[in-house]
Amino acid sequence: MTRLMGIVNVTPDSFSDGGLFLDAEAAIAHGRELAAEGADLLDVGGESTRPGAAEVSAEEELERVGPVVEGLVGEGGTGVAVSIDTSKAAVAATALSAGATIVNDVTALRSDAELAAVCAEAGCEVVLMHMLGTPRTMQDDPRYEDVVDDVKAFLSDRVEAAVAAGIDENRVWVDPGIGFGKTAAHNLELLRRLGELRELGRPVVVGASRKSFLGKLTGRDVNERVGGTVAANTLALAAGADVLRVHDVAAARDAVLTAEVILGRRRWRTRSG
Ligand code: HH2
């Protein structure tokens, strides 16, 4: 069954909800709301990766995310697994000891040499995402031989590197990195051919929520892209995505439920009427 990863951004500058949940109490309340709406996982992030975003020190990132992870796990938490969206070993280590069970690294363990060891030691799940370049440079004329083949080869190499660093292969998830060093045409082709990534044999995560290619297609502002997001996610689900990373959990939950029933992957019962 496809799982929903609800996004909890504790940042002043995320592309769609920057500044909304910078205060820990507001972020925790938001995470609880996403869990109540049907999120299976909550992805807590303290550093924006939007093109050109400012870098954040480990101390600052920890100040942002530490109390939020603590508020969302364990007793008094939501009962939903928490993922830490970070590329920094120090941030991951603190979040894991507070009770997070997944590390989501948009750099696929390439930016902090210590992070793989932290994940191996903790025995956590690890999301490895494809990105061409860095958030500062990634949208400067990205080019591929064949975007799906290139992303797939990259992810295959990164899975190998993770395993070589002691991470259990069964705990590795892969993500094509929609919007990370890709034109709108690249994103659309990755979504159209998403099924090819299943050949890697690992769960596939897709993060299309509210991203700018949807704005280019529909002409909609960032907070009005729920229809485009639902379409992208529904097709990703049909192609075999295992985890959908979303801002709008309630809409995504209804879409996933309906799509899975139509595809015969889920039994259904009437909820009302
Ligand atoms: N996208 C964003 C951040 N983290 N992680 C994975 N695995 N896949 C993604 O597609 C992905 C991600 C960007 O979205 P958001 O968190 O809303 O924005 P920002 O990076 O500006 O905080």
Side-chain angles (χ1 to χ4, degrees):
M1 226 81 85
T2 309
R3 287 187 292 166
L4 292 173
M5 177 185 266
I7 301 171
V8 182
N9 281 326
V10 199
T11 61
D13 55 350
S14 285
F15 78 93
S16 80
D17 52 5
L20 280 183
F21 311 112
L22 191 51
D23 168 64
E25 289 306 313
I28 293 166
H30 184 56
R32 288 181 191 279
E33 193 179 321
L34 297 184
E37 287 176 1
D40 302 288
L41 319 160
L42 292 172
D43 191 35
V44 179
E47 177 172 34
S48 172
T49 51
R50 80 183 155 76
E55 277 181 36
V56 178
S57 69
E59 291 71 30
E60 165 118 42
E61 204 178 316
L62 261 178
E63 261 175 48
R64 293 179 186 173
V65 297
V68 178
V69 171
E70 276 172 25
L72 291 174
V73 297
E75 267 178 54
T78 61
V80 159
V82 170
S83 140
I84 178 75
D85 186 351
T86 190
S87 300
K88 298 187 184 76
V91 175
T94 305
L96 290 166
S97 39
T101 54
I102 305 156
V103 170
N104 173 25
D105 180 11
V106 297
T107 72
L109 305 177
R110 291 176 299 158
S111 69
D112 185 333
E114 312 294 320
L115 182 55
V118 166
C119 296
E121 167 88 27
C124 62
E125 316 293 315
V126 184
V127 184
L128 302 176
M129 196 197 78
H130 175 272
M131 171 173 15
L132 188 66
T134 66
R136 210 160 275 283
T137 63
M138 65 189 181
Q139 290 311 108
D140 301 344
D141 193 23
R143 284 165 194 262
Y144 298 89
E145 282 271 320
D146 174 296
V147 65
V148 180
D149 290 351
D150 292 5
V151 164
K152 192 171 158 195
F154 169 90
L155 291 173
S156 172
D157 284 353
R158 296 314 300 159
V159 173
E160 241 176 67
V163 172
I167 295 170
D168 178 353
E169 185 167 357
N170 293 317
R171 297 203 179 275
V172 179
W173 306 355
V174 295
D175 183 330
I178 299 296
F180 286 85
K182 281 123 190 151
T183 62
H186 292 141
N187 293 320
L188 295 170
E189 183 154 6
L190 279 164
L191 288 167
R192 191 178 309 121
R193 294 171 53 199
L194 192 75
E196 293 176 40
L197 299 183
R198 299 212 43 84
E199 291 158 19
L200 293 166
R202 303 307 319 139
V204 175
V205 182
V206 172
S209 189
R210 300 186 185 174
K211 284 189 177 165
S212 71
F213 76 104
L214 297 170
K216 289 199 174 110
L217 282 176
T218 61
R220 299 278 181 199
D221 282 346
V222 72
N223 291 318
E224 300 170 344
R225 295 178 188 160
V226 66
T229 300
V230 163
N233 281 338
T234 304
L235 292 169
L237 174 157
D242 296 280
V243 178
L244 302 170
R245 184 179 180 277
V246 294
H247 300 89
D248 304 288
V249 170
R253 192 214 45 187
D254 288 358
V256 165
L257 176 74
T258 307
E260 286 184 336
V261 170
I262 292 171
L263 291 168
R265 294 184 193 168
R266 184 196 280 262
R267 287 157 71 99
W268 64 284
R269 62 186 166 83
T270 306
R271 283 175 196 260
S272 71

